[in-house]
Amino acid sequence: MANQPKKYTKFVATAATATLVASAIVPVASAAGFSDVSEKNSHAVNINALAEAGIIGGYPDGTFKPNQELTRGQVVKMLGKWVENQGFEIPADYATKARFTDLAADAKDQELVKYAALVADTGVFNGSNGALNAGGKITRENMALVLDRAFKAINDTTLVEVASEIEDVTVADLNTAKAEAREAIQALRNLGISGVENFMPKDSVTRAQFASFLNKTIKTEFELTVKEVVAVDANTLEVTLSDDKKHTVKLETALEANKETEVTFTIDGKEYTAKATFVLAVKTAEVVDALNLNVTLTDGTKHAVRLTKALEPNKATEVTFTIDKIEHKATVTYVVEDLLLEEVKAINETELQFVFNQEVLEAGAETKGNYTFTAKAPSKQKAIAPKSIELQEDGKTVIARFAAGTLVDDTTYEVVAQNIVAAKFNKLVEFEGTVTVKADTTAATLKSVEYAGGNNITATFSEPVAIQDAVVRVDGVNVTVSEVAATTVAGDYTYTINVGEDLSKLGSHNVTIVGLKDLAGNESTTLNGTYTVSNDTVAPTVESVKAVSATSFEVKFSEAVKSLGTIKVTKGNTEFEVKEAKLVNGTVSTYLVTVKPENGTNKLYADKEKTVALNVEFKGYTDNAELLGEATTKSVTLSLDTDAPSLLTTSVNKVAVSGSDLVFSVEMTEAIEDVTASKVKVISPSGVELSTSVARVAGIKGANSALDITVATEDLEQGTYTLVFEADAVKDAQGLGNAKFQTTVTSKAVDTFVALPVDNIALEAGNVIKVTFPEEMTDSALDLANYKLDNAALPAGTKAVFTNTGKTALELRLPSTFTVVADADYKFEVVKTLTSKDGDYVVASLTDASGNTISKIANASNTVKNITLQDNVAPTLVSAEFELADKTATTTEQIKLTFSENVAIADDSMASAINDLVVTVAGNEIQVNDLDVNGKEVIVSLQTALNIAQATTIDILPEGEDNAAIAITDTSVAANKVVAKKVTVTK
């Protein structure tokens, strides 16, 4: 069915009746020439209009029979013709599929059949129990219903909706109509389609009367208004008009973000004005790592954001950042699972393998001092040290390689791993475990053989081997192994074998190895492999050049290159020397090229220049087949570092005791070029500023990215030290200095604890959680990350405040935006990692569940208490209605108020509650005598009876000069006072 409705202009009511457009009235001498319809007939104009539109017809004898009662079949035909005229198609299956039980699809009156199908499918005519009853008379109330439905089918809005804003005109006998027809009857009266006070719903309709009803309905006009405007983006609006249709509107001038703007636009030739706000806010903020976010704004644009301070792991943090000069805020959580060492095993007699549950940073993973190995049984061997430790390509596996004979067969070793940091900057949960080295009884296997150019092949085995002592044959001929080069990377058992003969003959070749032994002396069976030498005819190419840093870029070739030839870097007409070009670890065809930042008096970056466009020319580069690559010039843009150094994250900062010194190791976000030691301060737990020395050391982010701050003192205090970095205390290679920040590091010999009884946690008015600590706290107690509510972070906007100078009394003031709709229990926790000024962990108890004294923080528990938060949502007035004795009543002395929740009035506050309300009619204040409360409803009894036809308002006064105090409240403990509001009383 194709529906192409016309566009309409909204019907406007200037009084209680409809104002019809003059053009709708077509004067005629006589109605379409009907012999029985005179000019004086009050229905002549409407009969004529419908006849000219082809909607209504007469009889063969030239009469119209205006006083004849209308049948249901005639209504179906007339409404069907109107609907068809508006672009609806007759259903294709009208002649094969019956819509009513008493009208066959092949009935003689095919005009009735097709229009019956149309009005049925459009919902205009439903019939009675499935039957049409075409010859039956239609009542006036049913006529009102079908006119409303037909108007809806064509205009997407009902007569009832069009008339909704018009003051109701009296229909004296409305209550005699069936309930479902009353709104439609009232709409006909309000719109002037019906002009009589008594509608007579049960009476039949004459043909003349229906002609007037139908023509006036057709000519009813209405004005579409703007119902809703949503700014999709700065230039696009989604507009919903009052007919609930949505329209996409493009603006010529872009909306200013986050500012309400009045806009004018045209829809279907009509101009509309409305206010729109393009809210440019954060839609999603995805954490990439501790310093970077991927932010999507509400306009769909995506932005990479770098934070000025690293996020703390597993802590909901509100961050502020700027995108295109607009400041945004978002609350994000850098979710980091505990870094665990999942497995330690011996993979042969010289290597142990460590497998972590996530990627780890190379600096810590390959530090020998982070591991200890001590033989337990049966050997009494002392601690042993590995020859090397290598992080594997997957980033999660570490292999410790020992000198041959160091690991003893059938011996169990105690292994401790610590101070290893994940790629997400969370520290390893200290590991203590064992690994048993068993005698190696498995011989090595050959994994692969490859041609390595000239006289060389590479052979990869399942474990370390002594290839020099084996017999090697190529294509069945013994070759002399003159040189072997083994890889130095742990876990990689690849050997480059030089046989002193040319192995470059094209084709596939067999390699046989006999008598090969591993380092434990296990001899392999005869091993066979193949390698292929192909004729390389494809020269290398430069695939890409991309910026890496302010002075370096990566070059990717299409294949491994034997010689880089010459690389010429120019900025305009100035050439800058290449300082270094080295193969990127783990690749065979990607090189990191570093440019010298100066060429005599010429600087790579001119003053105030933040980026530089370079041309890079490659000449003379060759692959292993000596094929020369084509001379190529690529462009690349390098950028100066614009991010000042800052603290990486407190989770990796640490403190160590060295003799009588304390050494604080602080991780920074990048390498540090300069340090002003006088701007780095250490405050002791007792508040004394200590003398310090600062040294740059290798850290997580590479060379010079960590600082060792040494405090020399004979009386070392246990507790929390505060490290303060004044602005520009450290600077990076670009001369960018840090913003002022501070962090804390705790020093103590063993874990010490203090118990926080649950009775020290209380709830005060206004949903303020009060915690009384057993010891003085540091400002770390103000960190909301140390508390949880229902296993989640405290709501954004919570304020933490000490209420005494001794810093033992703390209030956590939940924000008003955190709504509690009813008094309810919430689980509140003080996290066990919170420490006092003395460095004691604040825990639930000093003993564990078995009654044993706690010695490690891992065995301690959070302090948990269920607290009953108070309802802080004030009740609001939802509606006010006249309370009538019966449906025919026109006056009343009562008004029923309905609130959003149950309300109450104290026994001695009735007078005050009455003062809360002001009832007004035509500028006259009506005295309130009494209030009767029942749940959400309050019956207001008045001193004077009101006529419900008059506009009446009821006003809940705010507290002030006219109302000393609001006495109507909800039923919660907080007794929230009802919201001041003014509403119109409805019928």
Side-chain angles (χ1 to χ4, degrees):
M1 179 171 61
N3 181 3
Q4 298 176 338
K6 296 180 180 178
K7 305 300 177 187
Y8 293 89
T9 311
K10 181 171 181 178
F11 161 83
V12 178
T14 57
T17 58
T19 301
L20 298 180
V21 181
S23 61
I25 309 300
V26 183
V28 292
S30 62
F34 296 124
S35 60
D36 55 351
V37 180
S38 70
E39 297 178 22
K40 296 180 180 181
N41 189 312
S42 61
H43 300 289
V45 170
N46 296 306
I47 293 171
N48 180 72
L50 294 182
E52 289 185 355
I55 293 174
I56 201 167
Y59 289 88
D61 61 359
T63 62
F64 181 74
K65 302 187 188 305
N67 297 321
Q68 187 181 78
E69 291 182 324
L70 192 70
T71 66
R72 292 165 60 87
Q74 290 170 339
V75 172
V76 165
K77 288 182 180 181
M78 286 187 274
L79 292 182
K81 290 175 181 178
W82 177 31
V83 172
E84 183 182 28
N85 284 351
Q86 301 307 307
F88 288 78
E89 295 180 359
I90 302 296
D93 61 350
Y94 80 90
T96 57
K97 177 183 176 183
R99 266 56 173 186
F100 298 99
T101 58
D102 58 348
L103 181 64
D106 59 352
K108 183 178 179 180
D109 190 348
Q110 282 295 292
E111 183 183 45
L112 177 60
V113 170
K114 72 177 184 179
Y115 286 124
L118 178 57
V119 297
D121 287 3
T122 53
V124 173
F125 211 94
N126 299 326
S128 177
N129 296 320
L132 177 60
N133 188 20
K137 305 298 186 291
I138 190 167
T139 62
R140 290 168 65 88
E141 62 184 356
N142 284 337
M143 175 199 66
L145 281 172
V146 295
L147 288 175
D148 189 59
R149 292 171 187 161
F151 195 86
K152 168 68 173 177
I154 293 170
N155 299 305
D156 291 321
T157 187
T158 64
L159 293 170
V160 172
E161 291 167 341
V162 173
S164 62
E165 297 181 7
I166 302 173
E167 184 72 23
D168 285 348
V169 185
T170 301
V171 180
D173 57 353
L174 186 62
N175 287 340
T176 65
K178 58 183 180 182
E180 65 174 312
R182 290 173 190 169
E183 282 190 331
I185 293 170
Q186 185 66 63
L188 294 180
R189 179 70 169 128
N190 291 349
L191 294 169
I193 297 171
S194 168
V196 294
E197 186 171 331
N198 286 290
F199 187 74
M200 296 176 288
K202 307 299 183 184
D203 285 6
S204 58
V205 187
T206 68
R207 286 168 53 81
Q209 289 170 343
F210 186 72
S212 290
F213 277 117
L214 178 56
N215 193 48
K216 290 180 181 180
T217 298
I218 291 172
K219 298 305 180 184
T220 295
E221 298 187 348
F222 62 96
E223 177 186 331
L224 293 176
T225 59
V226 175
K227 185 176 181 180
E228 183 183 35
V229 176
V230 176
V232 178
D233 56 43
N235 291 94
T236 308
L237 303 179
E238 184 180 82
V239 180
T240 304
L241 298 181
S242 52
D243 61 355
D244 289 328
K245 286 187 176 180
K246 296 184 183 297
H247 304 265
T248 299
V249 174
K250 292 292 184 180
L251 301 177
E252 293 182 1
T253 303
L255 294 171
E256 184 177 342
N258 303 325
K259 177 183 178 181
E260 186 178 63
T261 306
E262 187 172 275
V263 291
T264 300
F265 48 88
T266 301
I267 297 176
D268 294 333
K270 178 174 174 57
E271 188 176 87
Y272 297 88
T273 299
K275 290 183 178 180
T277 303
F278 170 46
V279 179
L280 185 59
V282 175
K283 184 177 181 181
T284 60
E286 176 187 353
V287 177
V288 178
D289 54 40
L291 280 165
N292 294 282
L293 305 177
N294 282 336
V295 176
T296 302
L297 299 181
T298 48
D299 63 354
T301 59
K302 300 181 183 297
H303 304 266
V305 172
R306 184 173 176 83
L307 304 176
T308 57
K309 181 180 179 182
L311 296 169
E312 292 292 330
N314 303 317
K315 173 185 176 183
T317 306
E318 184 179 68
V319 292
T320 301
F321 48 87
T322 300
I323 297 176
D324 295 334
K325 298 182 180 180
I326 297 178
E327 185 177 274
H328 298 278
K329 290 185 178 181
T331 299
V332 295
T333 302
Y334 181 36
V335 178
V336 179
E337 61 179 323
D338 286 341
L339 175 60
L340 303 174
L341 179 52
E342 294 185 325
E343 180 187 46
V344 181
K345 68 177 182 180
I347 53 177
N348 53 59
E349 289 195 338
T350 62
E351 293 175 333
L352 299 181
Q353 177 177 281
F354 300 79
V355 179
F356 297 90
N357 68 329
Q358 55 187 282
E359 292 185 23
V360 294
L361 295 176
E362 184 179 48
E366 295 188 348
T367 299
K368 296 179 184 178
N370 289 339
Y371 307 83
T372 60
F373 306 88
T374 307
K376 290 188 66 177
S379 171
K380 298 301 181 183
Q381 182 183 2
K382 295 181 180 180
I384 58 174
K387 183 172 65 174
S388 64
I389 298 180
E390 300 282 352
L391 178 64
Q392 304 302 290
E393 287 186 10
D394 65 359
K396 297 181 179 180
T397 304
V398 171
I399 293 180
R401 172 176 278 175
F402 296 82
T406 303
L407 297 176
V408 180
D409 293 344
D410 298 317
T411 298
T412 298
Y413 293 86
E414 182 179 64
V415 180
V416 176
Q418 58 188 349
N419 296 329
I420 296 168
V421 180
K424 293 185 175 182
F425 308 132
N426 51 311
K427 288 193 294 188
L428 173 71
V429 176
E430 185 172 318
F431 173 84
E432 294 182 9
T434 59
V435 60
T436 300
V437 177
K438 295 293 186 181
D440 181 4
T441 59
T442 303
T445 59
L446 177 64
K447 290 187 173 183
S448 64
V449 179
E450 294 183 7
Y451 176 58
N455 302 340
N456 301 305
I457 56 174
T458 60
T460 301
F461 300 93
S462 60
E463 60 177 305
V465 295
I467 186 68
Q468 298 92 329
D469 300 328
V471 174
V472 179
R473 293 195 294 270
V474 176
D475 293 333
V477 178
N478 282 8
V479 294
T480 302
V481 178
S482 58
E483 185 179 351
V484 175
T487 179
T488 59
V489 179
D492 186 350
Y493 317 116
T494 299
Y495 298 80
T496 300
I497 305 169
N498 184 300
V499 298
E501 299 178 24
D502 184 9
L503 302 177
S504 63
K505 183 180 179 181
L506 298 178
S508 180
H509 303 275
N510 296 318
V511 176
T512 304
I513 303 175
V514 181
L516 178 73
K517 293 182 180 181
D518 64 15
L519 300 188
N522 299 302
E523 184 172 337
S524 303
T525 58
T526 300
L527 302 174
N528 293 288
T530 61
Y531 71 89
T532 301
V533 180
S534 59
N535 188 11
D536 184 1
T537 60
V538 179
T541 60
V542 179
E543 289 191 343
S544 64
V545 178
K546 68 176 183 178
V548 173
S549 71
T551 57
S552 63
F553 53 86
E554 271 186 3
V555 181
K556 184 177 181 181
F557 293 93
S558 60
E559 58 178 305
V561 293
K562 182 177 181 180
S563 170
L564 285 174
T566 60
I567 300 176
K568 181 179 179 181
V569 179
T570 56
K571 175 188 176 185
N573 295 323
T574 304
E575 181 178 351
F576 287 86
E577 182 181 346
V578 173
K579 181 179 179 181
E580 182 181 38
K582 63 179 182 179
L583 196 65
V584 175
N585 288 339
T587 72
V588 296
S589 59
T590 302
Y591 288 79
L592 179 67
V593 179
T594 303
V595 181
K596 285 187 177 181
E598 293 183 0
N599 179 4
T601 59
N602 296 309
K603 293 182 178 180
L604 187 61
Y605 293 87
D607 290 343
K608 298 183 180 181
E609 196 172 31
K610 300 297 183 183
T611 61
V612 58
L614 301 178
N615 288 320
V616 186
E617 182 184 66
F618 301 89
K619 282 186 177 180
Y621 57 98
T622 61
D623 63 11
N624 289 324
E626 303 296 343
L627 291 168
L628 189 64
E630 185 176 353
T632 303
T633 299
K634 298 281 188 180
S635 61
V636 64
T637 299
L638 306 184
S639 300
L640 280 174
D641 176 16
T642 57
D643 296 317
S646 61
L647 184 69
L648 181 59
T649 170
T650 59
S651 66
V652 295
N653 299 333
K654 57 188 178 181
V655 61
V657 178
S658 176
S660 60
D661 296 340
L662 279 182
V663 180
F664 300 96
S665 295
V666 180
E667 296 283 349
M668 305 300 293
T669 55
E670 59 180 311
I672 302 302
E673 186 74 17
D674 295 307
V675 178
T676 303
S678 62
K679 293 185 177 182
V680 180
K681 301 175 182 179
V682 176
I683 312 299
S684 72
S686 58
V688 177
E689 183 177 334
L690 306 174
S691 298
T692 62
S693 62
V694 185
R696 296 175 299 145
V697 296
I700 291 171
K701 303 294 283 186
N704 295 335
S705 68
L707 301 174
D708 276 354
I709 304 162
T710 302
V711 176
T713 174
E714 294 181 359
D715 299 320
L716 296 177
E717 293 183 69
Q718 293 185 12
T720 300
Y721 288 76
T722 301
L723 279 63
V724 179
F725 284 69
E726 300 291 348
D728 295 331
V730 294
K731 292 184 178 180
D732 62 15
Q734 305 300 330
L736 299 174
N738 65 287
K740 181 179 179 179
F741 68 86
Q742 67 182 49
T743 185
T744 57
V745 181
T746 301
S747 171
K748 54 185 176 179
V750 295
D751 291 340
T752 55
F753 306 91
V754 62
L756 174 64
V758 293
D759 290 343
N760 285 27
I761 299 172
L763 183 71
E764 297 188 346
N767 287 337
V768 175
I769 303 171
K770 185 173 183 179
V771 182
T772 304
F773 291 102
E775 295 180 2
E776 183 177 351
M777 306 298 292
T778 66
D779 285 345
S780 63
L782 301 176
D783 187 347
L784 300 183
N786 290 314
Y787 311 95
K788 294 181 181 180
L789 193 63
D790 274 1
N791 300 320
L794 295 183
T798 299
K799 302 295 183 184
V801 179
F802 284 119
T803 58
N804 67 340
T805 56
K807 293 188 177 182
T808 57
L810 177 77
E811 287 186 356
L812 296 168
R813 300 168 183 171
L814 302 185
S816 59
T817 53
F818 180 68
T819 57
V820 181
V821 297
D823 297 346
D825 284 349
Y826 285 72
K827 178 184 175 185
F828 173 72
E829 294 180 71
V830 179
V831 179
K832 65 183 181 181
T833 51
L834 176 62
T835 55
S836 68
K837 184 178 179 181
D838 293 337
D840 297 326
Y841 288 110
V842 178
V843 297
S845 174
L846 300 181
T847 57
D848 60 20
S850 301
N852 300 316
T853 300
I854 293 173
S855 59
K856 291 186 176 182
I857 186 62
N859 299 329
S861 301
N862 295 349
T863 303
V864 179
K865 183 176 183 179
N866 284 341
I867 56 176
T868 303
L869 294 184
Q870 297 174 355
D871 178 354
N872 62 1
V873 179
T876 58
L877 180 58
V878 176
S879 65
E881 302 173 283
F882 290 115
E883 185 78 354
L884 303 178
D886 57 59
K887 296 180 179 180
T888 62
T890 58
T891 63
T892 182
E893 296 178 355
Q894 292 185 327
I895 297 173
K896 181 175 72 176
L897 306 182
T898 303
F899 291 89
S900 59
E901 58 179 303
N902 291 346
V903 294
I905 300 170
D907 293 338
D908 58 351
S909 301
M910 179 58 72
S912 295
I914 289 174
N915 287 337
D916 289 344
L917 305 175
V918 172
V919 179
T920 306
V921 179
N924 300 293
E925 185 175 325
I926 307 301
Q927 178 63 42
V928 176
N929 281 350
D930 192 24
L931 304 177
D932 183 17
V933 180
N934 183 16
K936 296 181 180 180
E937 296 179 352
V938 175
I939 302 298
V940 181
S941 296
L942 306 173
Q943 189 177 59
T944 305
L946 303 180
N947 189 310
I948 65 173
Q950 282 193 288
T952 302
T953 61
I954 189 162
D955 194 359
I956 300 177
L957 296 178
E959 292 183 347
E961 183 177 340
D962 296 328
N963 189 23
I966 292 178
I968 303 175
T969 68
D970 63 15
T971 57
S972 69
V973 173
N976 298 298
K977 297 177 180 180
V978 68
V979 176
K981 187 176 183 181
K982 184 175 184 177
V983 299
T984 299
V985 184
T986 60
K987 300 172 186 178

